Amino acid sequence: MNATTKTIEVINRLSTVDAPQAAGPYSQGTYHGGILYVSGQLPIDPLTGQVASPGDVKAQTHQVIANLSAILEAAGASLQNVLKSTVYLRSIEDFPDMNRVYGSYFDSVLPARSCVAVSALPNSQALIEIDAVAALGELKSEPDS
């Protein structure tokens, strides 16, 4: 009987100093097979290590998206490559403010998204966390019909 050996392709791990460093046993991002998985980003300023603008979900949303963008850029991608994101809010009442800021970063290519309210986030001053899944490689337009 011939036994077959499965080969697993390497999972690449990504790290950039332009986003907050992982605060535990995880990577800022991993990619495999043309897909980038970005770990949840809190509104932490990578220069100071502190939560940006405590109490202000709009300013915190800007910081979270800046952190996501830095990780995407380190992988050669941008927000336009995002396929799916998940937004975690400490208070669902912050949804309208978060949504206005979030929407200002995306053009006509809108990713799929979920948004949930959670009882707590890993930092007590954080009002928001966002993770994302993005396509790597050249973006191509749909062919004309």
Side-chain angles (χ1 to χ4, degrees):
M1 179 189 290
N2 287 337
T4 59
T5 303
K6 292 185 179 182
T7 303
I8 299 175
E9 292 183 36
V10 173
I11 297 172
N12 298 288
R13 282 152 179 77
L14 177 69
S15 181
T16 177
V17 296
D18 296 326
Q21 297 305 297
Y26 62 91
S27 298
Q28 288 175 327
T30 59
Y31 58 97
H32 176 76
I35 302 293
L36 172 67
Y37 302 88
V38 181
S39 292
Q41 295 299 300
L42 293 170
I44 295 173
D45 181 329
L47 298 176
T48 65
Q50 301 299 311
V51 169
S53 306
D56 183 346
V57 75
K58 291 184 279 189
Q60 287 194 6
T61 302
H62 284 293
Q63 183 64 59
V64 167
I65 292 176
N67 295 343
L68 286 171
S69 294
I71 295 167
L72 289 162
E73 287 173 20
S78 73
L79 290 171
Q80 295 305 303
N81 294 78
V82 174
L83 301 169
K84 167 79 168 75
S85 67
T86 304
V87 178
Y88 306 90
L89 291 172
R90 275 214 350 241
S91 172
I92 202 65
E93 285 77 25
D94 286 334
F95 181 84
D97 288 334
M98 174 283 298
N99 200 45
R100 277 190 290 282
V101 173
Y102 180 98
S104 72
Y105 285 91
F106 294 94
D107 297 331
S108 60
V109 181
L110 299 173
R113 184 182 79 186
S114 300
C115 181
V116 296
V118 296
S119 63
L121 291 168
N123 183 300
S124 64
Q125 292 183 315
L127 302 175
I128 183 171
E129 180 174 355
I130 303 175
D131 63 33
V133 177
L136 296 180
E138 187 178 332
L139 295 176
K140 298 179 183 175
S141 298
E142 290 294 322
D144 293 331
S145 304

